[in-house]
Amino acid sequence: MAITATTAPGAADVNDSVDLGPATALSCRECGTRFPLGPSFACLECFGPLEIAYDFGSAGADELRKRIEAGPASIWRYAPLLPVPADVASKPNLNPGWTPLVKADNLGRELGFTAQLHVKDDSGNPTHSFKDRVVACAIEAARAFGFTTLSCSSTGNLAGAVGAAAARAGFKSCVFIPHDLEQGKVVMAGVYGGELVGIEGNYDDVNRFCSELIGDPAGEGWGFVNVNLRPYYGEGSKTLAYEICEQLGWRLPEQIVIPIASGSQLTKIDKGLQELIKLGLVEDRPYKIFGAQAEGCSPVSAAFKAGRDVIRPVKPDTIAKSLAIGNPADGPYVLDIARRTGGAVEDVTDAEVVEAIKLLARTEGIFAETAGGVTIGVLKKLVESGQLDPSKETVAINTGDGLKTLDAVADAGLTATIRPTLESFRSAGLASA
């Protein structure tokens, strides 16, 4: 079954010289105008964001499903649905994806679930966050367009993913982060040998600087994965949707809780679910998507609760720095999806984030970073408020590893310090009854 975007009058022809698999063009999300595949991210007609348009061919659902299931245990099993060449798995890359979908029975019982609760744990990716997925797709576009240096604006995880992917693929890298990020993320981004530059300001300041650098000769030959390569980069998040459905036995979950930074992950997960439905790989049935933010950076949650369509930028102030984007580019589209699916967007305090990190660790043995604490905290709040139904199968997404944000739970540690004697052990109250 073929899925292609409508070509607007006067649209440019597709660039047939670029091999990015089923990707055929760039299409404006707002006006539908199409442009050739290239390092572009904004429509020249209306300045709307560009997305990838595809032709997935005429293979039937059964044939496509068998092809996917025979593929590698990485996101490249879904190469027929991504903007990558068919031989992508043979190229030097980090091969992210196919992370576990954990049956979170202990957490589910604690939160009052009667249906199955799952945690999609993406902390097992090569640099321990979901960002490896999006970078893997962006780097294939960088190869196709002849870039020699990979770059990004980042709240931490993306910087590490770009540095690692560039090192493996033989690219130079230069990444930009706010100067006051968590030390664990700074070290992980810097260890790969590329340039790591701290910018005095928050993420929105970093992103504005990178947008200026793209138009300057100093940025010649640079591919910014989340700026001029953003349409390709964003498609990597679709693989979360693909994996969840395949791991459920080719079935849509009834409810999904997703953290919001720029909002791209949430919108692309919805796009992935819709593609699976249209291709006949899953049965069409209702599902609800819920967005999760930290109270200290919750412009999308605030707009949802107020019934507004416009996102009012905020100055971030939260321990969840990986979600600290005060002016989220995909915020309006997140609102559309939450309302269309009957979901919601909610936020939690920093104290609730810490509590949720410990809750997930205590119940399921999963140590999430602060973004995961936001997701689990919002999941708990949604159940308690009646917005999320615990009698329906639910997936919550953990996007990164808690070792990157140790300061958030620095009060966790030794239960007791004892002398190496049984008497000291018993005196500490540690002996069994």
Side-chain angles (χ1 to χ4, degrees):
M1 178 179 183
I3 303 175
T4 56
T6 301
T7 304
D13 293 332
V14 170
N15 183 353
D16 293 325
S17 65
V18 175
D19 178 14
L20 288 174
T24 58
L26 295 173
S27 177
C28 178
R29 199 186 300 187
E30 292 294 328
C31 71
T33 300
R34 285 171 58 141
F35 303 90
L37 295 171
S40 302
F41 62 98
C43 177
L44 298 177
E45 298 294 327
C46 72
F47 302 107
L50 296 180
E51 289 198 318
I52 308 296
Y54 292 97
D55 184 345
F56 290 138
S58 57
D62 289 342
E63 179 184 344
L64 181 55
R65 189 180 294 112
K66 289 177 182 178
R67 182 177 173 186
I68 289 170
E69 291 173 345
S74 71
I75 64 170
W76 304 135
R77 66 198 290 113
Y78 308 110
L81 308 179
L82 296 171
V84 297
D87 63 348
V88 62
S90 67
K91 297 178 182 293
N93 64 72
L94 296 178
N95 299 314
W98 204 240
T99 55
L101 184 68
V102 178
K103 288 186 175 181
D105 294 337
N106 298 328
L107 177 61
R109 279 193 296 271
E110 186 137 342
L111 297 184
F113 273 82
T114 55
Q116 184 67 59
L117 173 64
H118 305 266
V119 173
K120 179 60 171 170
D121 185 14
D122 241 26
S123 65
N125 275 310
T127 68
H128 307 287
S129 89
F130 90 96
K131 292 295 187 181
D132 291 318
R133 297 175 181 271
V134 290
V135 171
C137 288
I139 205 169
E140 293 309 313
R143 291 188 216 268
F145 304 138
F147 288 121
T148 56
T149 299
L150 284 186
S151 186
C152 69
S153 53
S154 174
T155 56
N157 284 326
L158 180 58
V162 168
R168 176 71 62 85
F171 282 78
K172 297 177 182 178
S173 69
C174 182
V175 299
F176 301 89
I177 60 174
H179 70 288
D180 59 350
L181 285 185
E182 303 98 333
Q183 187 62 19
K185 290 180 181 176
V186 173
V187 172
M188 189 166 191
V191 75
Y192 300 109
E195 302 290 343
L196 177 64
V197 181
I199 300 289
E200 296 177 357
N202 58 32
Y203 173 81
D204 298 296
D205 297 316
V206 178
N207 200 42
R208 279 193 295 271
F209 169 77
C210 289
S211 296
E212 292 177 12
L213 185 55
I214 287 174
D216 189 274
E220 184 73 24
W222 288 31
F224 288 79
V225 299
N226 57 341
V227 189
N228 59 352
L229 295 176
R230 187 175 183 83
Y232 312 91
Y233 158 95
E235 295 296 281
S237 286
K238 296 192 309 182
T239 61
L240 278 162
Y242 299 157
E243 286 182 21
I244 289 168
C245 290
E246 184 179 357
Q247 289 168 329
L248 288 175
W250 294 108
R251 187 178 75 251
L252 292 169
E254 293 176 285
Q255 301 174 136
I256 312 177
V257 186
I258 306 167
I260 298 170
S262 71
S264 176
Q265 182 187 78
L266 187 149
T267 62
K268 291 304 186 292
I269 287 176
D270 179 64
K271 182 180 181 181
L273 297 177
Q274 290 296 309
E275 287 175 349
L276 293 180
I277 291 169
K278 292 174 183 175
L279 289 165
L281 292 172
V282 297
E283 181 183 350
D284 189 5
R285 69 175 186 178
Y287 61 86
K288 294 183 179 182
I289 290 184
F290 298 85
Q293 292 201 291
E295 185 181 87
C297 185
S298 55
V300 186
S301 175
F304 181 86
K305 292 175 182 178
R308 291 188 276 106
D309 295 325
V310 176
I311 307 295
R312 295 175 182 170
V314 300
K315 184 176 181 180
D317 181 18
T318 174
I319 61 171
K321 293 184 178 180
S322 61
L323 303 183
I325 298 180
N327 189 17
D330 279 40
Y333 303 106
V334 169
L335 294 175
D336 292 342
I337 291 167
R339 289 166 180 160
R340 189 195 81 227
T341 64
V345 185
E346 187 55 90
D347 57 82
V348 286
T349 65
D350 282 356
E352 289 172 314
V353 171
V354 173
E355 179 187 341
I357 292 172
K358 294 178 178 179
L359 172 64
L360 181 60
R362 174 172 57 80
T363 57
E364 298 300 339
I366 297 173
F367 184 18
E369 68 161 311
T370 48
V374 169
T375 303
I376 300 302
V378 165
L379 169 68
K380 181 175 183 289
K381 190 171 183 178
L382 290 169
V383 171
E384 292 171 347
S385 66
Q387 296 178 83
L388 187 144
D389 187 349
S391 69
K392 294 184 177 180
E393 186 173 47
T394 302
V395 176
I397 296 179
N398 174 44
T399 53
D401 194 318
L403 291 174
K404 296 185 179 187
T405 56
L406 289 172
D407 288 351
V409 288
D411 61 333
L414 295 174
T415 301
T417 300
I418 65 171
R419 296 185 304 278
T421 66
L422 288 174
E423 180 183 357
S424 180
F425 174 72
R426 292 191 180 98
S427 296
L430 300 172
S432 60

